[in-house]
Amino acid sequence: MDSEWRQLHLFFFPYLAPGHMIPAIDMAKLFASQGLKISIITTPLHASLVSKTIEKSKTLGFKLDVLIIEFPSVQVGLPKGCESYNMVTSPDLRKKFMKAAAMLENPLGKLLQEHRPDCLVASAFFPWTTDLAGKFGIPRLIFHATSFFSASTYECLRLYEPHKNIPSSDSEPFIIPNFPDEIKLTRKQLPDFFTQNVETGFTNLYKQTVEAELTSYGAVFNSFYELEPAYADYYRKVLGRKAWHIGPVSLCNKESEDKVQRGKEASIHGHECLEWLNSKEPNSVVYVCFGSMANFNDSQLMEIAMGLEASQQQFIWVVKKEKSDGGKEEWLPEGFEKRVEGKGLIIRGWAPQVLILDHKAVGGFVTHCGWNSTLEGVAAGVPMVTWPVAAEQFFNEKLVTQVLRIGVGVGVQQWVRFFGDSIRSEAIEKALLRIMVGEEAEEMRSRARELGKMANRAVEEGGSSYSDLNALIDDLRSHAMAGETTDNN
Ligand code: UDP
């Protein structure tokens, strides 16, 4: 057996959305740092960004490359260049996007045929990749881009359907059955494919995802054992799934320039951001950001602005708006930016999130509870105000507020796909003060800080995630060698 063959070659095939792409690139860098060869398969729009992000790792000698497949946007009736899920904002476009994503099977199959990698790591939203990998005799690892807690919640809802036994109201809480902790949810907080009898575009995809997981080789989690031990055990031992935890993967970005490079080009220069933060006291700034998907209408943004101002806390607030050229911005109170000058910074567009969160001046995080953001907040050791919108964000909120007790909810009750619930400025102000000022805030901060330390230890040599990553690599190596032996016989 030659030594070249022994270098395992993995294909990474992340879903075409920042919340999947960003951690998948970090993960790819992590595997490459352990001596594996990694190819990231993606479409032209993402390819240039991915290439830029992995440039430095490549100059360090890591084996990473990008293989491009075309996304059939125009073919399904999407605008040309519409290749990222955060670019679709209506149910019709969403259906088309999902159709186009399913059409990637052929081009991916061609690449598998040509390169014959040892394993395919693919997003949960590409359920067909399990069978495709099977055709090439290689394992498919599933990447959920969420926590053990939320993956277990999904599974218990599917198995026991507790939400179907609540006749009276969508707001009536029910308990997740057979769960390690007593966690209550309401029907209003569940993704629509649990509560609606009509096909939402996700109903079938969800079913296929569940089936594909049962037959795939296992799942890889961006999490660490010490964060959710009861749920990592529950998922593996009670639900009987094979899974490895290798996170927080964002911690592979050690230098400021790596942290700035994640996701899109940031709308603010890294230096400018650091300079602003350097002028602040430790734990004195709240960072407010709702990820790459969630949007709010102008009246909700106005309430956020008023809540921030009333709380008298310093802040960095990320808003998905362009800067207006001099005209009035309907989503901001009159004179807002002048009044908060020096105290508050609005980033319009994309923020270097990890760079900001990791700064010692940041003492709190208002988050929509996307799993990446949640884990980045944990790794930075900051308490959070939870403001879930869609996906499994209401589940992650429970983990933060009830299990870890490092955050408080702003009070959102209703799951929506894209546009957030209407929360009044008074509730925002109150939640901000609870995580920033007083005894309760200090207690949460000290728990969050401990978790942050554990997160950093988990990815160091000998840590739980480092060990699980190597256990997974050993497993894949044995699998590949067993395949080779069979082929030779
Ligand atoms: N992110 C960022 N800058 C922004 C918004 C988001 O760097 O202005 C990153 C964030 O650090 C995280 C990802 O985008 O890694 C968002 O993923 P998450 O799971 O939190 O939420 P989603 O966007 O999938 O709802």
Side-chain angles (χ1 to χ4, degrees), residues 297-317:
N297 55 29
D298 285 356
S299 64
Q300 181 63 83
L301 292 174
M302 181 73 91
E303 294 289 334
I304 295 175
M306 293 193 304
L308 282 168
E309 195 173 1
S311 77
Q312 300 195 10
Q313 299 301 304
Q314 303 189 93
F315 63 86
I316 293 183
W317 178 22

Side-chain angles (χ1 to χ4, degrees), residues 17-20 22-23 26 86 145 250 259-260 262-264 287 289-294 318 320 347 349-354 357 365 367-376 391-393 396:
H20 288 245
I22 294 171
D26 285 343
N86 61 335
S250 64
K259 295 177 186 177
V260 173
R262 292 177 85 239
K264 293 194 231 172
Y287 172 64
C289 182
F290 301 94
S292 65
M293 304 286 301
V318 189
K320 292 192 203 77
I347 298 179
W350 191 258
Q353 175 155 309
V354 169
L357 279 173
F365 181 16
T367 173
H368 71 308
C369 299
W371 181 241
N372 296 294
S373 295
T374 307
L375 193 59
E376 287 157 13
E392 88 300 8
Q393 294 153 14
N396 293 333

Side-chain angles (χ1 to χ4, degrees), residues 129-150:
T129 52
T130 299
D131 286 346
L132 185 64
K135 282 187 196 153
F136 292 91
I138 59 167
R140 182 257 174 139
L141 282 173
I142 192 161
F143 176 47
H144 285 295
T146 191
S147 52
F148 281 107
F149 179 92
S150 291

Side-chain angles (χ1 to χ4, degrees), residues 145-305:
T146 191
S147 52
F148 281 107
F149 179 92
S150 291
S152 302
T153 303
Y154 267 125
E155 190 53 5
C156 286
L157 292 176
R158 184 184 76 86
L159 288 171
Y160 310 118
E161 302 188 321
H163 51 289
K164 294 201 173 158
N165 301 326
I166 309 292
S168 52
S169 126
D170 283 352
S171 314
E172 193 179 325
F174 60 84
I175 294 174
I176 306 175
N178 301 331
F179 222 46
D181 293 288
E182 186 179 299
I183 301 295
K184 288 183 186 154
L185 284 166
T186 67
R187 266 207 298 256
K188 276 178 146 183
Q189 298 173 325
L190 302 186
D192 53 10
F193 51 85
F194 278 112
T195 50
Q196 290 180 19
N197 292 326
V198 290
E199 162 63 53
T200 67
F202 270 94
T203 322
N204 274 332
L205 182 65
Y206 174 62
K207 279 190 203 135
Q208 290 163 8
T209 300
V210 171
E211 282 160 21
E213 174 159 16
L214 292 172
T215 51
S216 75
Y217 192 70
V220 59
F221 277 82
N222 179 17
S223 186
F224 61 104
Y225 186 75
E226 294 79 2
L227 180 68
E228 37 173 0
Y231 294 92
D233 288 344
Y234 184 80
Y235 190 77
R236 297 192 278 204
K237 294 180 185 155
V238 180
L239 297 175
R241 303 294 168 80
K242 216 166 159 184
W244 294 265
H245 45 76
I246 64 166
V249 295
S250 64
L251 290 175
C252 74
N253 302 290
K254 303 261 184 270
E255 311 292 331
S256 295
E257 57 172 302
D258 305 325
K259 295 177 186 177
V260 173
Q261 281 289 343
R262 292 177 85 239
K264 293 194 231 172
E265 193 71 49
S267 316
I268 182 169
H269 207 283
H271 291 305
E272 194 189 325
C273 209
L274 288 178
E275 214 168 278
W276 193 89
L277 285 165
N278 286 343
S279 70
K280 307 294 174 199
E281 293 294 313
N283 299 322
S284 67
V285 176
V286 188
Y287 172 64
V288 186
C289 182
F290 301 94
S292 65
M293 304 286 301
N295 273 304
F296 295 116
N297 55 29
D298 285 356
S299 64
Q300 181 63 83
L301 292 174
M302 181 73 91
E303 294 289 334
I304 295 175

Side-chain angles (χ1 to χ4, degrees), residues 1-2 5-8 118 139 473-489:
M1 222 168 292
D2 65 67
W5 184 86
R6 283 177 170 274
Q7 180 175 53
L8 290 180
D118 297 297
I473 293 172
D474 287 347
D475 201 308
L476 293 176
R477 182 161 287 125
S478 307
H479 189 278
M481 287 172 78
E484 177 78 351
T485 313
T486 320
D487 289 350
N488 288 342
N489 286 339

